[in-house]
Amino acid sequence: MSALTPATPDFAEITRLIEAARQRAYQAVNTALIDLYWQVGAYLSGKIKAAEWGEGVVEQLAQHLASTQPGLKGFTRANLFRMRQFYEAYQAQEKVAPLVRQLPWTHNLIILSRSKRPEEREFYLNMAAQEKWSKRELERQFDTALFERVVLNPAKVSPLVTQIHPDAASVFKDSYLVEFLDLPAAHLESELQRGLLAQLRQFLLELGRDFCFVGSEYPLQVGQQDFALDLLFFHRGLNCLVAIELKTTRFSPEHLGQLNFYLEALDRDHKKPHENPAIGLLLCASKDDEVVEYALSRSLSPALVAQYQTQLPDKKLLQAKLHEFYLANLGEEGAA
């Protein structure tokens, strides 16, 4: 009789500890670097404002550092001026100081250079820290005019969503960009669904970090009939299932009836005891916001209506609309 093969030891916990330590070390180094850049920026700002140094001295400083510390990187003339700009942009904003230290310098530079107003900088600092965006993903969010879209078109939710999930409005969007699918102008619902599944990682990034994929064509049995939900996710922050129904047509109020039915089935037969009631997201090709508002106002289910866009929006047009919005709502100072 052959001897029993010993079980392979479980090293997962050690691996997890190593990765956690690496992440802490990286964050500590990054925080120290951002602190250094902040202090250098503050020093340069003070000297130049007090007219003790002219801007030409910054060039001399860059040359001095290059010659005396040849291994030192990141202290070119251009980067020294960015440190000064970085400090001056945030010195009076106590709320954002912890956020800038959570992000790499490249992320801070992207946000600093591409934002048009202080509240836009704060928005992207918050989102980048929360969603752990890569440099590429952060740039994509600017390309998709996320800030403008969120301000101009907040998520459309039913009253019950706000009642059950007070934070839901900040989790969902009014429109989702799926330009990465390369869909033709005329496409079928099945093509949209297959595309989202094929590019699931990209779609999860667009939805948000706390969304977890559960399944597609998710089976729901009610009575003697079988139904299939297009896409099912779980949101960790809201602690609930999120049902997504896809429509490649314009939103119609009767679409909500089907979604509400699926939410009832999820809550009765699939929701865990510790979970909150499920939320439904109807993702349509287009919608009339007034029709959506009427349809959702009497809805007895926690539902949302959003649209998907297969092409990047016209950012200049959105920026012009945002400027008008600030003029109308915040006055000249807020629109500057």
Side-chain angles (χ1 to χ4, degrees), residues 172 211 214-215 218 220 229-235 240-246 258-264 266 277-283 302-304:
F172 294 92
F211 281 88
V214 177
Y218 191 81
L220 299 171
L229 172 62
D230 286 343
L231 298 168
L232 184 62
F233 293 84
F234 185 84
H235 192 274
C240 71
L241 293 166
V242 178
I244 299 183
E245 273 295 287
L246 306 172
Q258 180 187 35
L259 183 60
N260 292 343
F261 175 78
Y262 289 159
L263 291 177
E264 186 67 18
L266 286 172
I279 288 180
L281 171 60
L282 196 60
L283 201 53
L304 305 96

PDB file of all heavy atoms in Angstrom, residues 172 211 214-215 218 220 229-235 240-246 258-264 266 277-283 302-304:
ATOM      1  N   PHE A 172     -24.046  55.503  -8.775  1.00  0.00           N
ATOM      2  CA  PHE A 172     -24.472  55.294 -10.162  1.00  0.00           C
ATOM      3  C   PHE A 172     -24.328  56.577 -10.979  1.00  0.00           C
ATOM      4  O   PHE A 172     -24.201  57.675 -10.434  1.00  0.00           O
ATOM      5  CB  PHE A 172     -25.919  54.808 -10.198  1.00  0.00           C
ATOM      6  CG  PHE A 172     -26.114  53.450  -9.589  1.00  0.00           C
ATOM      7  CD1 PHE A 172     -26.451  53.315  -8.244  1.00  0.00           C
ATOM      8  CD2 PHE A 172     -25.942  52.307 -10.350  1.00  0.00           C
ATOM      9  CE1 PHE A 172     -26.626  52.063  -7.676  1.00  0.00           C
ATOM     10  CE2 PHE A 172     -26.108  51.043  -9.788  1.00  0.00           C
ATOM     11  CZ  PHE A 172     -26.451  50.924  -8.451  1.00  0.00           C
ATOM     12  N   PHE A 211     -18.231  47.171  -7.606  1.00  0.00           N
ATOM     13  CA  PHE A 211     -19.120  46.244  -8.311  1.00  0.00           C
ATOM     14  C   PHE A 211     -18.417  44.912  -8.544  1.00  0.00           C
ATOM     15  O   PHE A 211     -17.270  44.874  -8.998  1.00  0.00           O
ATOM     16  CB  PHE A 211     -19.554  46.823  -9.660  1.00  0.00           C
ATOM     17  CG  PHE A 211     -20.656  47.835  -9.567  1.00  0.00           C
ATOM     18  CD1 PHE A 211     -20.364  49.180  -9.359  1.00  0.00           C
ATOM     19  CD2 PHE A 211     -21.977  47.450  -9.679  1.00  0.00           C
ATOM     20  CE1 PHE A 211     -21.380  50.119  -9.269  1.00  0.00           C
ATOM     21  CE2 PHE A 211     -23.003  48.379  -9.591  1.00  0.00           C
ATOM     22  CZ  PHE A 211     -22.711  49.712  -9.382  1.00  0.00           C
ATOM     23  N   VAL A 214     -21.675  38.812 -10.946  1.00  0.00           N
ATOM     24  CA  VAL A 214     -22.288  37.575 -10.467  1.00  0.00           C
ATOM     25  C   VAL A 214     -22.612  36.645 -11.625  1.00  0.00           C
ATOM     26  O   VAL A 214     -22.284  35.458 -11.594  1.00  0.00           O
ATOM     27  CB  VAL A 214     -23.565  37.869  -9.648  1.00  0.00           C
ATOM     28  CG1 VAL A 214     -24.239  36.565  -9.205  1.00  0.00           C
ATOM     29  CG2 VAL A 214     -23.244  38.729  -8.429  1.00  0.00           C
ATOM     30  N   GLY A 215     -23.268  37.167 -12.674  1.00  0.00           N
ATOM     31  CA  GLY A 215     -23.596  36.303 -13.808  1.00  0.00           C
ATOM     32  C   GLY A 215     -24.366  37.022 -14.891  1.00  0.00           C
ATOM     33  O   GLY A 215     -24.861  38.139 -14.699  1.00  0.00           O
ATOM     34  N   TYR A 218     -28.891  35.513 -15.909  1.00  0.00           N
ATOM     35  CA  TYR A 218     -29.039  34.914 -14.578  1.00  0.00           C
ATOM     36  C   TYR A 218     -30.438  34.314 -14.432  1.00  0.00           C
ATOM     37  O   TYR A 218     -31.447  35.006 -14.597  1.00  0.00           O
ATOM     38  CB  TYR A 218     -28.807  35.971 -13.505  1.00  0.00           C
ATOM     39  CG  TYR A 218     -28.676  35.410 -12.116  1.00  0.00           C
ATOM     40  CD1 TYR A 218     -27.464  34.861 -11.680  1.00  0.00           C
ATOM     41  CD2 TYR A 218     -29.756  35.403 -11.238  1.00  0.00           C
ATOM     42  CE1 TYR A 218     -27.337  34.335 -10.403  1.00  0.00           C
ATOM     43  CE2 TYR A 218     -29.634  34.882  -9.963  1.00  0.00           C
ATOM     44  CZ  TYR A 218     -28.427  34.334  -9.548  1.00  0.00           C
ATOM     45  OH  TYR A 218     -28.307  33.809  -8.282  1.00  0.00           O
ATOM     46  N   LEU A 220     -33.927  33.064 -13.179  1.00  0.00           N
ATOM     47  CA  LEU A 220     -34.919  33.355 -12.140  1.00  0.00           C
ATOM     48  C   LEU A 220     -36.152  32.505 -12.423  1.00  0.00           C
ATOM     49  O   LEU A 220     -36.736  32.608 -13.502  1.00  0.00           O
ATOM     50  CB  LEU A 220     -35.299  34.841 -12.147  1.00  0.00           C
ATOM     51  CG  LEU A 220     -34.184  35.859 -11.886  1.00  0.00           C
ATOM     52  CD1 LEU A 220     -34.692  37.275 -12.137  1.00  0.00           C
ATOM     53  CD2 LEU A 220     -33.650  35.738 -10.468  1.00  0.00           C
ATOM     54  N   LEU A 229     -32.269  37.195 -16.296  1.00  0.00           N
ATOM     55  CA  LEU A 229     -31.855  38.586 -16.083  1.00  0.00           C
ATOM     56  C   LEU A 229     -30.577  38.846 -16.878  1.00  0.00           C
ATOM     57  O   LEU A 229     -29.643  38.049 -16.823  1.00  0.00           O
ATOM     58  CB  LEU A 229     -31.618  38.798 -14.586  1.00  0.00           C
ATOM     59  CG  LEU A 229     -31.009  40.111 -14.107  1.00  0.00           C
ATOM     60  CD1 LEU A 229     -31.905  41.283 -14.457  1.00  0.00           C
ATOM     61  CD2 LEU A 229     -30.790  40.047 -12.599  1.00  0.00           C
ATOM     62  N   ASP A 230     -30.531  39.947 -17.614  1.00  0.00           N
ATOM     63  CA  ASP A 230     -29.392  40.213 -18.508  1.00  0.00           C
ATOM     64  C   ASP A 230     -28.061  40.132 -17.785  1.00  0.00           C
ATOM     65  O   ASP A 230     -27.179  39.359 -18.160  1.00  0.00           O
ATOM     66  CB  ASP A 230     -29.546  41.590 -19.175  1.00  0.00           C
ATOM     67  CG  ASP A 230     -30.608  41.585 -20.260  1.00  0.00           C
ATOM     68  OD1 ASP A 230     -30.991  40.486 -20.717  1.00  0.00           O
ATOM     69  OD2 ASP A 230     -31.075  42.674 -20.636  1.00  0.00           O
ATOM     70  N   LEU A 231     -27.885  40.951 -16.747  1.00  0.00           N
ATOM     71  CA  LEU A 231     -26.621  40.992 -16.005  1.00  0.00           C
ATOM     72  C   LEU A 231     -26.909  41.165 -14.520  1.00  0.00           C
ATOM     73  O   LEU A 231     -27.773  41.962 -14.149  1.00  0.00           O
ATOM     74  CB  LEU A 231     -25.734  42.146 -16.483  1.00  0.00           C
ATOM     75  CG  LEU A 231     -25.268  42.126 -17.937  1.00  0.00           C
ATOM     76  CD1 LEU A 231     -24.658  43.483 -18.322  1.00  0.00           C
ATOM     77  CD2 LEU A 231     -24.256  41.014 -18.182  1.00  0.00           C
ATOM     78  N   LEU A 232     -26.177  40.455 -13.695  1.00  0.00           N
ATOM     79  CA  LEU A 232     -26.344  40.581 -12.248  1.00  0.00           C
ATOM     80  C   LEU A 232     -24.990  40.859 -11.601  1.00  0.00           C
ATOM     81  O   LEU A 232     -23.999  40.167 -11.868  1.00  0.00           O
ATOM     82  CB  LEU A 232     -26.947  39.312 -11.640  1.00  0.00           C
ATOM     83  CG  LEU A 232     -27.248  39.370 -10.137  1.00  0.00           C
ATOM     84  CD1 LEU A 232     -28.286  40.450  -9.834  1.00  0.00           C
ATOM     85  CD2 LEU A 232     -27.724  38.018  -9.618  1.00  0.00           C
ATOM     86  N   PHE A 233     -24.959  41.906 -10.775  1.00  0.00           N
ATOM     87  CA  PHE A 233     -23.750  42.298 -10.047  1.00  0.00           C
ATOM     88  C   PHE A 233     -24.069  42.382  -8.564  1.00  0.00           C
ATOM     89  O   PHE A 233     -25.237  42.351  -8.156  1.00  0.00           O
ATOM     90  CB  PHE A 233     -23.242  43.660 -10.539  1.00  0.00           C
ATOM     91  CG  PHE A 233     -22.728  43.654 -11.947  1.00  0.00           C
ATOM     92  CD1 PHE A 233     -23.598  43.785 -13.025  1.00  0.00           C
ATOM     93  CD2 PHE A 233     -21.372  43.530 -12.205  1.00  0.00           C
ATOM     94  CE1 PHE A 233     -23.126  43.782 -14.326  1.00  0.00           C
ATOM     95  CE2 PHE A 233     -20.885  43.524 -13.504  1.00  0.00           C
ATOM     96  CZ  PHE A 233     -21.769  43.646 -14.566  1.00  0.00           C
ATOM     97  N   PHE A 234     -23.019  42.495  -7.768  1.00  0.00           N
ATOM     98  CA  PHE A 234     -23.174  42.774  -6.341  1.00  0.00           C
ATOM     99  C   PHE A 234     -22.329  43.999  -6.035  1.00  0.00           C
ATOM    100  O   PHE A 234     -21.199  44.111  -6.525  1.00  0.00           O
ATOM    101  CB  PHE A 234     -22.715  41.592  -5.484  1.00  0.00           C
ATOM    102  CG  PHE A 234     -22.972  41.782  -4.012  1.00  0.00           C
ATOM    103  CD1 PHE A 234     -24.208  41.490  -3.466  1.00  0.00           C
ATOM    104  CD2 PHE A 234     -21.974  42.274  -3.166  1.00  0.00           C
ATOM    105  CE1 PHE A 234     -24.460  41.678  -2.112  1.00  0.00           C
ATOM    106  CE2 PHE A 234     -22.216  42.467  -1.814  1.00  0.00           C
ATOM    107  CZ  PHE A 234     -23.465  42.172  -1.287  1.00  0.00           C
ATOM    108  N   HIS A 235     -22.892  44.919  -5.248  1.00  0.00           N
ATOM    109  CA  HIS A 235     -22.131  46.113  -4.869  1.00  0.00           C
ATOM    110  C   HIS A 235     -21.741  45.993  -3.407  1.00  0.00           C
ATOM    111  O   HIS A 235     -22.592  45.918  -2.514  1.00  0.00           O
ATOM    112  CB  HIS A 235     -22.945  47.381  -5.092  1.00  0.00           C
ATOM    113  CG  HIS A 235     -22.115  48.630  -4.989  1.00  0.00           C
ATOM    114  ND1 HIS A 235     -21.857  49.257  -3.791  1.00  0.00           N
ATOM    115  CD2 HIS A 235     -21.451  49.349  -5.934  1.00  0.00           C
ATOM    116  CE1 HIS A 235     -21.098  50.314  -3.994  1.00  0.00           C
ATOM    117  NE2 HIS A 235     -20.836  50.398  -5.285  1.00  0.00           N
ATOM    118  N   CYS A 240     -25.691  45.000  -1.675  1.00  0.00           N
ATOM    119  CA  CYS A 240     -26.911  44.529  -2.332  1.00  0.00           C
ATOM    120  C   CYS A 240     -26.612  44.048  -3.742  1.00  0.00           C
ATOM    121  O   CYS A 240     -25.601  44.406  -4.350  1.00  0.00           O
ATOM    122  CB  CYS A 240     -27.965  45.635  -2.374  1.00  0.00           C
ATOM    123  SG  CYS A 240     -27.571  46.980  -3.511  1.00  0.00           S
ATOM    124  N   LEU A 241     -27.529  43.208  -4.256  1.00  0.00           N
ATOM    125  CA  LEU A 241     -27.474  42.783  -5.644  1.00  0.00           C
ATOM    126  C   LEU A 241     -27.896  43.948  -6.536  1.00  0.00           C
ATOM    127  O   LEU A 241     -28.739  44.761  -6.154  1.00  0.00           O
ATOM    128  CB  LEU A 241     -28.410  41.591  -5.872  1.00  0.00           C
ATOM    129  CG  LEU A 241     -28.003  40.277  -5.170  1.00  0.00           C
ATOM    130  CD1 LEU A 241     -29.152  39.295  -5.189  1.00  0.00           C
ATOM    131  CD2 LEU A 241     -26.758  39.685  -5.833  1.00  0.00           C
ATOM    132  N   VAL A 242     -27.304  44.026  -7.717  1.00  0.00           N
ATOM    133  CA  VAL A 242     -27.660  45.062  -8.688  1.00  0.00           C
ATOM    134  C   VAL A 242     -28.005  44.371 -10.001  1.00  0.00           C
ATOM    135  O   VAL A 242     -27.147  43.750 -10.637  1.00  0.00           O
ATOM    136  CB  VAL A 242     -26.502  46.061  -8.910  1.00  0.00           C
ATOM    137  CG1 VAL A 242     -26.904  47.091  -9.967  1.00  0.00           C
ATOM    138  CG2 VAL A 242     -26.129  46.754  -7.601  1.00  0.00           C
ATOM    139  N   ALA A 243     -29.264  44.466 -10.373  1.00  0.00           N
ATOM    140  CA  ALA A 243     -29.749  43.865 -11.613  1.00  0.00           C
ATOM    141  C   ALA A 243     -29.661  44.890 -12.734  1.00  0.00           C
ATOM    142  O   ALA A 243     -30.139  46.013 -12.585  1.00  0.00           O
ATOM    143  CB  ALA A 243     -31.186  43.399 -11.436  1.00  0.00           C
ATOM    144  N   ILE A 244     -29.051  44.505 -13.852  1.00  0.00           N
ATOM    145  CA  ILE A 244     -28.947  45.404 -15.000  1.00  0.00           C
ATOM    146  C   ILE A 244     -29.675  44.797 -16.187  1.00  0.00           C
ATOM    147  O   ILE A 244     -29.364  43.679 -16.616  1.00  0.00           O
ATOM    148  CB  ILE A 244     -27.479  45.687 -15.376  1.00  0.00           C
ATOM    149  CG1 ILE A 244     -26.746  46.368 -14.210  1.00  0.00           C
ATOM    150  CG2 ILE A 244     -27.407  46.555 -16.626  1.00  0.00           C
ATOM    151  CD1 ILE A 244     -25.305  46.740 -14.513  1.00  0.00           C
ATOM    152  N   GLU A 245     -30.671  45.517 -16.667  1.00  0.00           N
ATOM    153  CA  GLU A 245     -31.396  45.121 -17.877  1.00  0.00           C
ATOM    154  C   GLU A 245     -30.984  46.032 -19.018  1.00  0.00           C
ATOM    155  O   GLU A 245     -30.915  47.261 -18.855  1.00  0.00           O
ATOM    156  CB  GLU A 245     -32.907  45.213 -17.654  1.00  0.00           C
ATOM    157  CG  GLU A 245     -33.514  43.971 -17.059  1.00  0.00           C
ATOM    158  CD  GLU A 245     -33.414  42.762 -17.995  1.00  0.00           C
ATOM    159  OE1 GLU A 245     -34.138  42.715 -19.002  1.00  0.00           O
ATOM    160  OE2 GLU A 245     -32.583  41.873 -17.721  1.00  0.00           O
ATOM    161  N   LEU A 246     -30.687  45.455 -20.169  1.00  0.00           N
ATOM    162  CA  LEU A 246     -30.199  46.186 -21.329  1.00  0.00           C
ATOM    163  C   LEU A 246     -31.318  46.416 -22.337  1.00  0.00           C
ATOM    164  O   LEU A 246     -32.089  45.500 -22.638  1.00  0.00           O
ATOM    165  CB  LEU A 246     -29.059  45.409 -21.993  1.00  0.00           C
ATOM    166  CG  LEU A 246     -27.880  45.021 -21.090  1.00  0.00           C
ATOM    167  CD1 LEU A 246     -26.924  44.097 -21.833  1.00  0.00           C
ATOM    168  CD2 LEU A 246     -27.152  46.264 -20.591  1.00  0.00           C
ATOM    169  N   GLN A 258     -40.879  45.083 -16.133  1.00  0.00           N
ATOM    170  CA  GLN A 258     -40.063  43.875 -16.187  1.00  0.00           C
ATOM    171  C   GLN A 258     -38.954  43.923 -15.139  1.00  0.00           C
ATOM    172  O   GLN A 258     -38.711  42.934 -14.433  1.00  0.00           O
ATOM    173  CB  GLN A 258     -39.456  43.737 -17.588  1.00  0.00           C
ATOM    174  CG  GLN A 258     -38.577  42.508 -17.752  1.00  0.00           C
ATOM    175  CD  GLN A 258     -37.857  42.505 -19.099  1.00  0.00           C
ATOM    176  OE1 GLN A 258     -37.472  43.562 -19.596  1.00  0.00           O
ATOM    177  NE2 GLN A 258     -37.679  41.327 -19.676  1.00  0.00           N
ATOM    178  N   LEU A 259     -38.288  45.079 -15.022  1.00  0.00           N
ATOM    179  CA  LEU A 259     -37.204  45.218 -14.053  1.00  0.00           C
ATOM    180  C   LEU A 259     -37.721  45.054 -12.627  1.00  0.00           C
ATOM    181  O   LEU A 259     -37.091  44.380 -11.795  1.00  0.00           O
ATOM    182  CB  LEU A 259     -36.534  46.580 -14.219  1.00  0.00           C
ATOM    183  CG  LEU A 259     -35.327  46.872 -13.319  1.00  0.00           C
ATOM    184  CD1 LEU A 259     -34.216  45.855 -13.547  1.00  0.00           C
ATOM    185  CD2 LEU A 259     -34.808  48.286 -13.551  1.00  0.00           C
ATOM    186  N   ASN A 260     -38.864  45.649 -12.323  1.00  0.00           N
ATOM    187  CA  ASN A 260     -39.442  45.529 -10.983  1.00  0.00           C
ATOM    188  C   ASN A 260     -39.760  44.076 -10.641  1.00  0.00           C
ATOM    189  O   ASN A 260     -39.581  43.633  -9.503  1.00  0.00           O
ATOM    190  CB  ASN A 260     -40.716  46.375 -10.884  1.00  0.00           C
ATOM    191  CG  ASN A 260     -40.432  47.865 -10.957  1.00  0.00           C
ATOM    192  OD1 ASN A 260     -39.302  48.302 -10.769  1.00  0.00           O
ATOM    193  ND2 ASN A 260     -41.458  48.651 -11.236  1.00  0.00           N
ATOM    194  N   PHE A 261     -40.230  43.340 -11.639  1.00  0.00           N
ATOM    195  CA  PHE A 261     -40.526  41.915 -11.447  1.00  0.00           C
ATOM    196  C   PHE A 261     -39.251  41.156 -11.081  1.00  0.00           C
ATOM    197  O   PHE A 261     -39.245  40.330 -10.154  1.00  0.00           O
ATOM    198  CB  PHE A 261     -41.147  41.356 -12.727  1.00  0.00           C
ATOM    199  CG  PHE A 261     -41.391  39.875 -12.693  1.00  0.00           C
ATOM    200  CD1 PHE A 261     -42.477  39.337 -12.008  1.00  0.00           C
ATOM    201  CD2 PHE A 261     -40.519  39.006 -13.347  1.00  0.00           C
ATOM    202  CE1 PHE A 261     -42.697  37.967 -11.975  1.00  0.00           C
ATOM    203  CE2 PHE A 261     -40.729  37.638 -13.323  1.00  0.00           C
ATOM    204  CZ  PHE A 261     -41.820  37.114 -12.635  1.00  0.00           C
ATOM    205  N   TYR A 262     -38.168  41.443 -11.774  1.00  0.00           N
ATOM    206  CA  TYR A 262     -36.902  40.768 -11.487  1.00  0.00           C
ATOM    207  C   TYR A 262     -36.385  41.120 -10.091  1.00  0.00           C
ATOM    208  O   TYR A 262     -35.839  40.265  -9.385  1.00  0.00           O
ATOM    209  CB  TYR A 262     -35.845  41.166 -12.526  1.00  0.00           C
ATOM    210  CG  TYR A 262     -36.078  40.591 -13.901  1.00  0.00           C
ATOM    211  CD1 TYR A 262     -35.491  41.168 -15.024  1.00  0.00           C
ATOM    212  CD2 TYR A 262     -36.880  39.461 -14.091  1.00  0.00           C
ATOM    213  CE1 TYR A 262     -35.694  40.637 -16.300  1.00  0.00           C
ATOM    214  CE2 TYR A 262     -37.096  38.936 -15.355  1.00  0.00           C
ATOM    215  CZ  TYR A 262     -36.502  39.531 -16.455  1.00  0.00           C
ATOM    216  OH  TYR A 262     -36.714  38.995 -17.704  1.00  0.00           O
ATOM    217  N   LEU A 263     -36.564  42.370  -9.678  1.00  0.00           N
ATOM    218  CA  LEU A 263     -36.115  42.777  -8.342  1.00  0.00           C
ATOM    219  C   LEU A 263     -36.897  42.034  -7.255  1.00  0.00           C
ATOM    220  O   LEU A 263     -36.329  41.625  -6.235  1.00  0.00           O
ATOM    221  CB  LEU A 263     -36.276  44.286  -8.171  1.00  0.00           C
ATOM    222  CG  LEU A 263     -35.343  45.168  -9.007  1.00  0.00           C
ATOM    223  CD1 LEU A 263     -35.659  46.644  -8.783  1.00  0.00           C
ATOM    224  CD2 LEU A 263     -33.881  44.892  -8.679  1.00  0.00           C
ATOM    225  N   GLU A 264     -38.193  41.866  -7.478  1.00  0.00           N
ATOM    226  CA  GLU A 264     -39.010  41.125  -6.504  1.00  0.00           C
ATOM    227  C   GLU A 264     -38.525  39.682  -6.394  1.00  0.00           C
ATOM    228  O   GLU A 264     -38.415  39.132  -5.282  1.00  0.00           O
ATOM    229  CB  GLU A 264     -40.481  41.158  -6.930  1.00  0.00           C
ATOM    230  CG  GLU A 264     -41.444  40.539  -5.935  1.00  0.00           C
ATOM    231  CD  GLU A 264     -41.556  41.323  -4.638  1.00  0.00           C
ATOM    232  OE1 GLU A 264     -41.176  42.516  -4.604  1.00  0.00           O
ATOM    233  OE2 GLU A 264     -42.037  40.745  -3.637  1.00  0.00           O
ATOM    234  N   LEU A 266     -35.499  38.541  -7.066  1.00  0.00           N
ATOM    235  CA  LEU A 266     -34.191  38.524  -6.405  1.00  0.00           C
ATOM    236  C   LEU A 266     -34.338  38.656  -4.896  1.00  0.00           C
ATOM    237  O   LEU A 266     -33.682  37.939  -4.127  1.00  0.00           O
ATOM    238  CB  LEU A 266     -33.315  39.658  -6.945  1.00  0.00           C
ATOM    239  CG  LEU A 266     -32.733  39.494  -8.351  1.00  0.00           C
ATOM    240  CD1 LEU A 266     -32.059  40.782  -8.804  1.00  0.00           C
ATOM    241  CD2 LEU A 266     -31.731  38.336  -8.404  1.00  0.00           C
ATOM    242  N   PRO A 277     -32.039  45.268   0.131  1.00  0.00           N
ATOM    243  CA  PRO A 277     -32.843  44.986  -1.055  1.00  0.00           C
ATOM    244  C   PRO A 277     -32.085  45.303  -2.341  1.00  0.00           C
ATOM    245  O   PRO A 277     -31.274  46.225  -2.392  1.00  0.00           O
ATOM    246  CB  PRO A 277     -34.056  45.913  -0.885  1.00  0.00           C
ATOM    247  CG  PRO A 277     -34.161  46.123   0.592  1.00  0.00           C
ATOM    248  CD  PRO A 277     -32.751  46.140   1.099  1.00  0.00           C
ATOM    249  N   ALA A 278     -32.354  44.529  -3.374  1.00  0.00           N
ATOM    250  CA  ALA A 278     -31.675  44.683  -4.654  1.00  0.00           C
ATOM    251  C   ALA A 278     -32.052  46.004  -5.322  1.00  0.00           C
ATOM    252  O   ALA A 278     -33.136  46.557  -5.104  1.00  0.00           O
ATOM    253  CB  ALA A 278     -32.019  43.516  -5.572  1.00  0.00           C
ATOM    254  N   ILE A 279     -31.136  46.498  -6.147  1.00  0.00           N
ATOM    255  CA  ILE A 279     -31.360  47.708  -6.945  1.00  0.00           C
ATOM    256  C   ILE A 279     -31.379  47.298  -8.414  1.00  0.00           C
ATOM    257  O   ILE A 279     -30.619  46.413  -8.833  1.00  0.00           O
ATOM    258  CB  ILE A 279     -30.241  48.741  -6.715  1.00  0.00           C
ATOM    259  CG1 ILE A 279     -30.358  49.366  -5.325  1.00  0.00           C
ATOM    260  CG2 ILE A 279     -30.283  49.852  -7.762  1.00  0.00           C
ATOM    261  CD1 ILE A 279     -29.287  50.394  -5.022  1.00  0.00           C
ATOM    262  N   GLY A 280     -32.232  47.953  -9.184  1.00  0.00           N
ATOM    263  CA  GLY A 280     -32.306  47.672 -10.610  1.00  0.00           C
ATOM    264  C   GLY A 280     -31.828  48.849 -11.436  1.00  0.00           C
ATOM    265  O   GLY A 280     -32.192  49.994 -11.157  1.00  0.00           O
ATOM    266  N   LEU A 281     -31.004  48.569 -12.429  1.00  0.00           N
ATOM    267  CA  LEU A 281     -30.514  49.603 -13.337  1.00  0.00           C
ATOM    268  C   LEU A 281     -30.965  49.256 -14.751  1.00  0.00           C
ATOM    269  O   LEU A 281     -30.592  48.208 -15.293  1.00  0.00           O
ATOM    270  CB  LEU A 281     -28.984  49.693 -13.279  1.00  0.00           C
ATOM    271  CG  LEU A 281     -28.301  50.581 -14.320  1.00  0.00           C
ATOM    272  CD1 LEU A 281     -28.776  52.031 -14.205  1.00  0.00           C
ATOM    273  CD2 LEU A 281     -26.790  50.505 -14.195  1.00  0.00           C
ATOM    274  N   LEU A 282     -31.774  50.125 -15.324  1.00  0.00           N
ATOM    275  CA  LEU A 282     -32.213  49.959 -16.704  1.00  0.00           C
ATOM    276  C   LEU A 282     -31.284  50.770 -17.591  1.00  0.00           C
ATOM    277  O   LEU A 282     -31.234  51.993 -17.497  1.00  0.00           O
ATOM    278  CB  LEU A 282     -33.661  50.457 -16.848  1.00  0.00           C
ATOM    279  CG  LEU A 282     -34.433  50.035 -18.088  1.00  0.00           C
ATOM    280  CD1 LEU A 282     -34.556  48.519 -18.165  1.00  0.00           C
ATOM    281  CD2 LEU A 282     -35.818  50.656 -18.058  1.00  0.00           C
ATOM    282  N   LEU A 283     -30.519  50.082 -18.427  1.00  0.00           N
ATOM    283  CA  LEU A 283     -29.509  50.729 -19.263  1.00  0.00           C
ATOM    284  C   LEU A 283     -30.021  50.775 -20.699  1.00  0.00           C
ATOM    285  O   LEU A 283     -30.100  49.743 -21.378  1.00  0.00           O
ATOM    286  CB  LEU A 283     -28.198  49.950 -19.172  1.00  0.00           C
ATOM    287  CG  LEU A 283     -26.899  50.662 -19.533  1.00  0.00           C
ATOM    288  CD1 LEU A 283     -26.739  51.965 -18.762  1.00  0.00           C
ATOM    289  CD2 LEU A 283     -25.711  49.743 -19.292  1.00  0.00           C
ATOM    290  N   PRO A 302     -36.761  50.038  -5.972  1.00  0.00           N
ATOM    291  CA  PRO A 302     -35.497  50.798  -6.034  1.00  0.00           C
ATOM    292  C   PRO A 302     -34.856  50.645  -7.412  1.00  0.00           C
ATOM    293  O   PRO A 302     -34.074  49.731  -7.647  1.00  0.00           O
ATOM    294  CB  PRO A 302     -34.650  50.166  -4.928  1.00  0.00           C
ATOM    295  CG  PRO A 302     -35.182  48.776  -4.799  1.00  0.00           C
ATOM    296  CD  PRO A 302     -36.632  48.828  -5.142  1.00  0.00           C
ATOM    297  N   ALA A 303     -35.213  51.538  -8.332  1.00  0.00           N
ATOM    298  CA  ALA A 303     -34.760  51.417  -9.714  1.00  0.00           C
ATOM    299  C   ALA A 303     -34.097  52.700 -10.189  1.00  0.00           C
ATOM    300  O   ALA A 303     -34.355  53.787  -9.675  1.00  0.00           O
ATOM    301  CB  ALA A 303     -35.936  51.062 -10.623  1.00  0.00           C
ATOM    302  N   LEU A 304     -33.236  52.558 -11.195  1.00  0.00           N
ATOM    303  CA  LEU A 304     -32.580  53.684 -11.832  1.00  0.00           C
ATOM    304  C   LEU A 304     -32.684  53.513 -13.340  1.00  0.00           C
ATOM    305  O   LEU A 304     -32.798  52.394 -13.843  1.00  0.00           O
ATOM    306  CB  LEU A 304     -31.098  53.758 -11.469  1.00  0.00           C
ATOM    307  CG  LEU A 304     -30.693  53.799 -10.003  1.00  0.00           C
ATOM    308  CD1 LEU A 304     -30.343  52.406  -9.508  1.00  0.00           C
ATOM    309  CD2 LEU A 304     -29.487  54.704  -9.815  1.00  0.00           C
TER     310      LEU A 304
END
